[in-house]
Structures are given as structure tokens and as C-alpha cells.
Amino acid sequence: MAEHGAFGFDPDDFDRVIREGSEGLRDVFERVSRFVGTPGARSGWSAVFEDLSRRPRPTPETAGEAGDGVWAIYTVDDTGNARVEQVYASELDALRANKDNTDPKRKVRFLPYGIAVSVLDDDSEEPA
């Protein structure tokens, strides 16, 4: 210990540490340069930000999502044609009005403004 100074480090120890450290730093810089900039391709960070900028924009809400419409209580007759019985401004009011319903042909559904009532018609063919 006395021959290498008070801390016991050999000059070869310093050389070895510096050599290994520089090799490690070289590897880090090579990996970073591959990530940040590769010739002929998008660089790493710009690719990340470009992907974020290409995210799909939120679609405008539909009339149903915006609440522009009415809640309709309707019945479907034997031929499959719908007839609106009552309309309500809120779903809760429509469900309360329909809570004692025992008729399976009487239903509650949101009907956006501008949509024909014929969309409520039953197109499925059920066995008689």
C-alpha cells in the first residue's frame, strides 16, 4: 500500500478504469447516435414527435352523443312498423314512464333530431 500512495491505487489501475470507461462511453454514444440520427431515416426523437402529431384527431360528436334528440317510447306492430307513443327530453323520464311496461313490443330508444321514425322499424323476421 505504501508503494502506490496513501490510497493504494496503482497507475495501471487508473489506465484500466479510464480505458473501460471510455469504451463504455463509446458504446453509449454509438447507441444514442443510432437512436437520434440514422442516415436516410427519421431520427429517433423526431420520429416520436412526428408520431404524436399524426395521432387521429377526435371525431366530432354525433347528435346522440351531444344529446340533440329525444327519447322515444315506441311500439312495433305485427308487420314490423314502429309507431312512436311518447317522447321525452331525458332518458330518465322515458325509462320512468316505461318502468311498468309488460309489452315486449314496447321499447325505449334515443332518436336523434333529423332521423326518420322508420329507423325504429323492426326489420328482423321473427317466426310467427
Side-chain angles (χ1 to χ4, degrees), residues 23-106:
E23 289 172 2
L25 284 175
R26 198 173 299 127
D27 287 342
V28 168
F29 285 126
E30 286 176 11
R31 290 180 188 194
V32 167
S33 67
R34 274 189 245 142
F35 179 73
V36 172
T38 53
R42 294 181 299 177
S43 61
W45 289 112
S46 67
V48 170
F49 291 119
E50 188 174 325
D51 288 344
L52 290 175
S53 69
R54 288 188 182 181
R55 279 186 145 161
R57 302 282 183 234
T59 57
E61 58 186 1
T62 62
E65 292 169 346
D68 296 336
V70 293
W71 286 90
I73 296 179
Y74 67 99
T75 57
V76 179
D77 60 14
D78 293 333
T79 60
N81 294 326
R83 184 177 64 85
V84 175
E85 293 180 358
Q86 294 176 325
V87 293
Y88 294 91
S90 71
E91 180 183 19
L92 187 59
D93 292 336
L95 292 174
R96 282 181 180 157
N98 196 47
K99 72 178 179 183
D100 296 325
N101 176 33
T102 57
D103 185 5
K105 294 182 180 183
R106 187 173 189 223

